[in-house]
Amino acid sequence: MLLCMLGWVGYAPAQMLKITDQKTGEPLQQVTLINPSSELISLSNESGEVDMAPFVGSKSILISLMGYETVQRSFTELKSQNFRIALVPTNLQLSEIVISGTKWNQQSANLPIKISTISKERIAFQNPQTAADLLGISGKVYIQKSQQGGGSPMIRGFATNRLLYVVDGVRMNSAIFRGGNIQNVINLDPFILDQTEVLFGPGSVIYGSDAIGGVMSFQTQKPTFSGEKNFLVSGKLNSRYSSSNQEKTIHADLNLGWKKWALLTSFSNWDYDHLRQGKNGPDDYLKPFHVKRLNGIDQIVAQEKGRLKQIPSAYSQYNVMQKIRFKPNASWDFDYGFHRSQTSPYGRYDRHNRTRNSLPRYAEWNYGPQVWQLNLLQVKHTADLRLVDQMSLKIAHQVFEESRIDRSFQDPLRTIQEEHVDAVSINWDFQKLIDEKHTVSYGIEWVKNKVESTGMTQQIETGQVQAGPARYPAADWYTWGIYLNEEFGLSQKANLQAGLRYSRNQISATFSDEFYSFPFEESELNEGALTGSLGVAIRPNSDWVVQGNFGTAFRAPNVDDLGKVFDSEPGSVTVPNPNLRPEYAYSVDLGFAKKFRDFVKVDFSAYYTILDDALVRRNFSLNGADSIRYQGELSQVQAIQNAAQARVFGLQMGMEMRISRTLKFFTDLNYQQGKEELSDGSLSPSRHAAPFFGLSRLEYQKKGLTAQLYFQYQGEQSFEHLAIEERNKDEIYAKDQNGNNYSPAWYTANFKVSYPIYKTIHTLVGIENITDQRYRPYSSGISGAGRNILISLSYNF
């Protein structure tokens, strides 16, 4: 396919206008050029370039981009400037360039949905340890952790497989993404992310299954060409140390660029010791012991140094990336990328806190090495054709590997389950600018996941290994979809957007009766789903943006829903259920952003979502029995079923204040409330509706110096507001005055400062959790870091 496309590539000379940001020098995308007399309109591409051939001789060309001052030039004036122009940014911006809304670069103020961005400059300053922490610094995404090597985002009352992860336009969700907390996001390397976007609310029209609560879109760096030079060499080196877990991190990347070819190589390595929690907080979070095997015997070892170190939580990880890019002319762009991430084995800390008969429940409960690998070929083409202005083709192959290793205390039998998923996908997307009022985007998607799962037991004293029950059946999971999205300019101040998608989802699974007697040997699922959206964005003037959207979304059952066998909680076991169908969400969003001169910007959004036919875990029977013996324990049989309705209501608020030329204040606040129907018809609080949380920052910038004092906080989640299924998890929560589990309110005060020692060398020093709070984010199985000294050094060339 690549060779065929290369055969179509020809030389296409053109006079290109280069548009950049006056402050940063970065190219600007989606800048609008308009000839008022002829109503001719063009947009700049991702390199900030516009073909000027249609504007030859124009006496007036308006050049505008939301967040920048509009300028007017003639073709002759632009020619005298060597077809280069730098736009001046305004102090407070109501819009920015995003890609997650429609898969094409757009101004966020023209979209009816809320999208938040995290730029590479903000990532560099905050210096997050993982991609999960990166999402947390947005102040709009809540992060749950069951262990240090984890991070499960919660968005608008939804989490795990009701959120979609997208990397360079490719869905990361696999057929074994579960409803319980997941940690796949840590596979991504924060050092190589160009921009991260969070789309709030339904995204199924563009992205298909799972995009109920939102879409997290991660865009990795692209190789850079040499530009006016014949050859370009650039790159960076980073190192970081953190005291709370003795973190030792290194990163290096190298870019080689020619006129039409470019290469980018990246490597990162992290090493974390056991995480130390703070001194000031609930004693319930202190663990007085850990299990260690000495002289062939499991022994309880008393915790040292005030019991603040959380053992076991240490782990390490490496990431590599290699990209090759070829751009023969302005119309074609070929980009191949290889990514690989692998962790060491790491302990699931909350499971190590469980007890039975006043003794540790487990001697071991670890995740094995978590592997993610991506091969991605992207082809982009720009052409003024009858049905297409821009085309994007993405062909991807991903590999997911994960495993679970557990052994009961003083039991010589170790249980090991390993999963391997091969995922192949094709995305073919198109965009057509029909006229200055109509833009149509459409495309098709095809995805196949092949799931292989094995189980074994190992006698640790003799080393004998024998087959054991697998977590999943052998299965193939398919989905394909076709979508159409239209943007219509009702006027210069209002945009209407409507979209429609049809998806088909199939599962073919084969069950083994070697260890469990299931009433079926094979299962087939073949379900369709139709989703749509309708929204409007209104800009009464340059200081206002009002957005409203109604959208539907769906999640098709995957292999984890249909075929899993696992212990969901003490005394319960989940078994397969082949009789499932998709769950649907119906959501309404209303929001606005308002700028008061160049002093204050506020934004507000409210949303209400109904989830119907929700896939939830309920009591079940297997061969007529409501209980079976699982791992030596009599357990209540449960299964995933379409058995509930859930409702979520929430508010998101933000403010940005420019106090002076050097001082700014930012804050983000989030409130949500969810209810889920139980089997008896009563209502329970939703597990994934996080308590009130927020982030407030005071930032000072002058002559290269950036200093920031910021506070991160969470409100209390009382026992009465915990989901029913959460109330008995003693290993996770603190105790209130009545002895009931609850999640206390907490805050951390943090300070960071960055300064360029030399023009190519930057240093960053920070103190996180200054007051050494002992806190545990809601629903998390491990406490956050205590007082942490952060030191980072970077060299750019």
Side-chain angles (χ1 to χ4, degrees):
M1 184 180 293
L2 177 62
L3 290 173
C4 290
M5 289 182 172
L6 286 172
W8 299 337
V9 173
Y11 178 67
Q15 184 60 65
M16 308 297 289
L17 173 67
K18 181 78 171 184
I19 308 173
T20 58
D21 182 300
Q22 186 191 61
K23 183 178 179 181
T24 67
E26 293 291 320
L28 295 178
Q29 310 172 40
Q30 293 291 293
V31 179
T32 303
L33 274 69
I34 299 177
N35 183 333
S37 60
S38 64
E39 297 186 350
L40 178 67
I41 181 171
S42 291
L43 298 174
S44 64
N45 60 24
E46 62 182 18
S47 301
E49 298 176 336
V50 184
D51 185 357
M52 294 302 295
F55 294 92
V56 173
S58 296
K59 296 182 178 180
S60 175
I61 303 172
L62 294 176
I63 305 173
S64 63
L65 178 65
M66 183 73 74
Y68 292 82
E69 295 179 4
T70 299
V71 298
Q72 181 174 326
R73 296 285 189 276
S74 68
F75 181 85
T76 302
E77 289 172 325
L78 292 173
K79 185 177 181 180
S80 68
Q81 298 173 211
N82 295 319
F83 292 103
R84 297 183 180 278
I85 190 167
L87 299 187
V88 179
T90 57
N91 289 329
L92 298 172
Q93 299 185 15
L94 290 180
S95 187
E96 51 196 338
I97 296 295
V98 295
I99 194 172
S100 57
T102 62
K103 295 188 178 181
W104 302 100
N105 291 322
Q106 286 183 296
Q107 286 286 336
S108 60
N110 292 332
L111 297 171
I113 50 181
K114 180 179 179 66
I115 298 177
S116 174
T117 65
I118 307 172
S119 66
K120 62 181 179 181
E121 292 79 17
R122 188 170 170 191
I123 295 171
F125 178 77
Q126 291 296 338
N127 239 298
Q129 290 190 350
T130 69
D133 298 331
L134 181 155
L135 291 167
I137 66 174
S138 70
K140 302 177 179 70
V141 179
Y142 194 86
I143 301 298
Q144 180 277 349
K145 291 187 179 183
S146 297
Q147 63 279 329
Q148 184 176 199
S152 187
M154 297 183 183
I155 299 176
R156 292 193 168 186
F158 297 99
T160 61
N161 54 18
R162 289 176 180 145
L163 301 177
L164 187 68
Y165 301 75
V166 176
V167 182
D168 289 336
V170 177
R171 63 180 292 129
M172 194 179 187
N173 294 38
S174 75
I176 61 171
F177 261 45
R178 55 189 180 274
N181 297 310
I182 58 177
Q183 59 270 1
N184 299 76
V185 72
I186 70 169
N187 288 128
L188 302 175
D189 182 356
F191 286 110
I192 54 93
L193 293 177
D194 245 352
Q195 180 161 292
T196 300
E197 299 176 11
V198 182
L199 182 156
F200 295 90
S204 285
V205 167
I206 303 298
Y207 295 100
S209 179
D210 303 358
I212 290 179
V215 177
M216 291 159 286
S217 176
F218 302 91
Q219 297 151 40
T220 63
Q221 292 179 17
K222 291 184 176 182
T224 304
F225 298 108
S226 60
E228 295 180 350
K229 302 178 181 178
N230 291 324
F231 180 60
L232 171 71
V233 179
S234 61
K236 61 177 180 286
L237 300 171
N238 296 79
S239 63
R240 183 175 62 225
Y241 167 80
S242 297
S243 62
S244 63
N245 55 5
Q246 299 298 303
E247 177 203 10
K248 295 173 282 293
T249 291
I250 58 171
H251 166 80
D253 63 60
L254 176 67
N255 184 95
L256 304 177
W258 294 267
K259 293 289 186 179
K260 297 182 180 182
W261 289 89
L263 307 175
L264 176 61
T265 304
S266 169
F267 173 79
S268 300
N269 189 84
W270 300 263
D271 184 79
Y272 307 106
D273 198 357
H274 304 295
L275 181 64
R276 174 196 170 276
Q277 58 185 323
K279 290 183 179 179
N280 306 306
D283 288 344
D284 303 288
Y285 296 153
L286 296 175
K287 182 184 174 187
F289 66 88
H290 64 273
V291 176
K292 194 171 184 179
R293 192 164 181 84
L294 299 171
N295 301 318
I297 301 173
D298 291 335
Q299 297 189 22
I300 299 174
V301 180
Q303 195 74 290
E304 301 174 354
K305 296 183 180 180
R307 302 182 294 174
L308 298 182
K309 188 174 285 189
Q310 301 175 93
I311 303 174
S313 59
Y315 81 104
S316 61
Q317 177 177 334
Y318 76 84
N319 277 55
V320 294
M321 181 185 78
Q322 178 64 58
K323 287 194 172 184
I324 304 171
R325 189 177 178 192
F326 173 55
K327 191 172 184 179
N329 54 48
S331 299
W332 288 93
D333 194 343
F334 300 85
D335 191 334
Y336 165 75
F338 169 80
H339 302 256
R340 182 177 173 87
S341 170
Q342 182 170 327
T343 70
S344 66
Y346 51 92
R348 179 164 170 176
Y349 187 73
D350 60 341
R351 294 295 177 97
H352 282 272
N353 284 348
R354 287 184 178 178
T355 58
R356 183 170 63 181
N357 300 325
S358 300
L359 293 173
R361 171 67 178 85
Y362 296 102
E364 302 175 26
W365 209 116
N366 303 320
Y367 287 110
Q370 179 172 288
V371 175
W372 170 69
Q373 185 171 294
L374 168 66
N375 284 277
L376 171 61
L377 173 65
Q378 301 183 72
V379 181
K380 292 185 177 181
H381 180 54
T382 303
D384 186 12
L385 302 177
R386 184 173 183 179
L387 298 177
V388 178
D389 287 330
Q390 298 185 78
M391 178 275 290
S392 171
L393 175 65
K394 297 181 176 71
I395 304 173
H397 172 247
Q398 296 180 83
V399 174
F400 302 87
E401 292 180 1
E402 57 186 57
S403 56
R404 293 160 179 81
I405 304 101
D406 68 84
R407 184 173 61 83
S408 296
F409 184 65
Q410 295 181 345
D411 186 340
L413 288 180
R414 175 186 290 142
T415 300
I416 302 171
Q417 292 180 320
E418 298 178 341
E419 285 75 54
H420 179 99
V421 179
D422 272 300
V424 180
S425 62
I426 300 174
N427 293 82
W428 206 354
D429 302 289
F430 306 87
Q431 186 182 59
K432 176 63 182 178
L433 180 66
I434 298 175
D435 54 42
E436 66 178 58
K437 291 186 176 182
H438 290 82
T439 301
V440 174
S441 54
Y442 56 98
I444 58 175
E445 178 184 47
W446 178 85
V447 181
K448 177 188 176 182
N449 282 198
K450 184 176 183 61
V451 178
E452 297 175 345
S453 182
T454 59
M456 67 186 77
T457 58
Q458 181 183 41
Q459 221 289 355
I460 62 172
E461 296 173 347
T462 65
Q464 183 180 1
V465 176
Q466 61 183 28
R471 182 177 173 90
Y472 298 112
D476 290 325
W477 179 86
Y478 300 87
T479 183
W480 63 266
I482 182 169
Y483 74 92
L484 174 68
N485 189 76
E486 181 176 5
E487 302 165 61
F488 175 65
L490 298 173
S491 67
Q492 291 187 347
K493 297 183 177 181
N495 276 38
L496 182 71
Q497 181 171 297
L500 195 66
R501 180 189 184 103
Y502 178 77
S503 297
R504 198 79 192 173
N505 304 277
Q506 299 168 282
I507 298 178
S508 176
T510 303
F511 294 85
S512 170
D513 60 359
E514 183 177 357
F515 300 97
Y516 301 109
S517 179
F518 297 121
F520 43 80
E521 295 181 356
E522 296 182 348
S523 177
E524 300 285 339
L525 186 147
N526 192 336
E527 295 280 349
L530 183 67
T531 51
S533 65
L534 179 65
V536 63
I538 303 172
R539 303 169 300 282
N541 55 48
S542 60
D543 295 334
W544 269 98
V545 176
V546 181
Q547 298 164 311
N549 189 69
F550 170 75
T552 62
F554 78 100
R555 185 175 79 82
N558 62 19
V559 176
D560 184 87
D561 298 308
L562 179 142
K564 177 173 60 179
V565 178
F566 85 117
D567 60 327
S568 55
E569 57 192 15
S572 298
V573 59
T574 300
V575 301
N577 177 17
N579 301 311
L580 299 176
R581 58 187 180 277
E583 56 184 6
Y584 281 87
Y586 307 88
S587 186
V588 176
D589 294 73
L590 294 172
F592 72 86
K594 168 66 176 174
K595 186 171 70 171
F596 299 89
R597 298 184 180 178
D598 260 356
F599 176 59
V600 175
K601 183 187 79 171
V602 296
D603 64 84
F604 175 88
S605 59
Y607 57 90
Y608 184 78
T609 303
I610 298 174
L611 182 65
D612 203 18
D613 273 343
L615 291 161
V616 294
R617 192 168 59 244
R618 292 286 184 263
N619 289 343
F620 198 62
S621 64
L622 185 63
N623 296 321
D626 63 2
S627 299
I628 63 172
R629 189 160 293 279
Y630 182 75
Q631 293 188 349
E633 183 174 350
L634 187 64
S635 302
Q636 167 70 54
V637 174
Q638 296 183 327
I640 301 296
Q641 303 170 55
N642 293 97
Q645 186 182 85
R647 297 170 183 260
V648 180
F649 162 77
L651 304 171
Q652 292 179 290
M653 296 152 281
M655 182 177 71
E656 180 179 345
M657 180 184 299
R658 188 178 178 88
I659 300 172
S660 69
R661 295 181 65 182
T662 58
L663 195 61
K664 290 182 180 181
F665 174 75
F666 310 82
T667 192
D668 286 287
L669 306 173
N670 304 267
Y671 170 81
Q672 49 268 306
Q673 190 176 74
K675 296 291 184 182
E676 183 180 301
E677 182 184 8
L678 299 178
S679 56
D680 62 1
S682 61
L683 296 178
S684 165
S686 293
R687 174 187 176 188
H688 291 135
F692 168 81
F693 70 97
L695 180 67
S696 299
R697 307 186 295 272
L698 184 66
E699 183 175 275
Y700 175 83
Q701 285 186 322
K702 188 174 183 180
K703 294 182 179 180
L705 172 71
T706 300
Q708 190 177 104
L709 175 67
Y710 64 99
F711 297 85
Q712 199 163 6
Y713 39 86
Q714 173 208 292
E716 178 183 303
Q717 193 86 320
S718 67
F719 176 77
E720 292 74 18
H721 287 92
L722 287 178
I724 298 297
E725 62 186 294
E726 293 286 291
R727 294 179 182 178
N728 293 324
K729 295 182 178 180
D730 296 335
E731 70 272 20
I732 288 180
Y733 295 105
K735 299 290 184 182
D736 64 18
Q737 60 185 1
N738 298 316
N740 294 319
N741 290 327
Y742 85 117
S743 180
W746 56 265
Y747 80 95
T748 62
N750 315 271
F751 179 76
K752 290 178 181 175
V753 59
S754 172
Y755 187 74
I757 300 175
Y758 186 64
K759 61 181 179 179
T760 58
I761 302 176
H762 280 72
T763 183
L764 183 143
V765 179
I767 306 178
E768 298 172 328
N769 195 359
I770 297 171
T771 58
D772 207 19
Q773 296 296 301
R774 183 185 306 134
Y775 71 98
R776 184 168 291 183
Y778 163 73
S779 192
S780 292
I782 191 169
S783 299
R787 184 183 296 120
N788 180 47
I789 307 299
L790 165 70
I791 302 173
S792 176
L793 191 67
S794 64
Y795 170 63
N796 296 271
F797 60 92

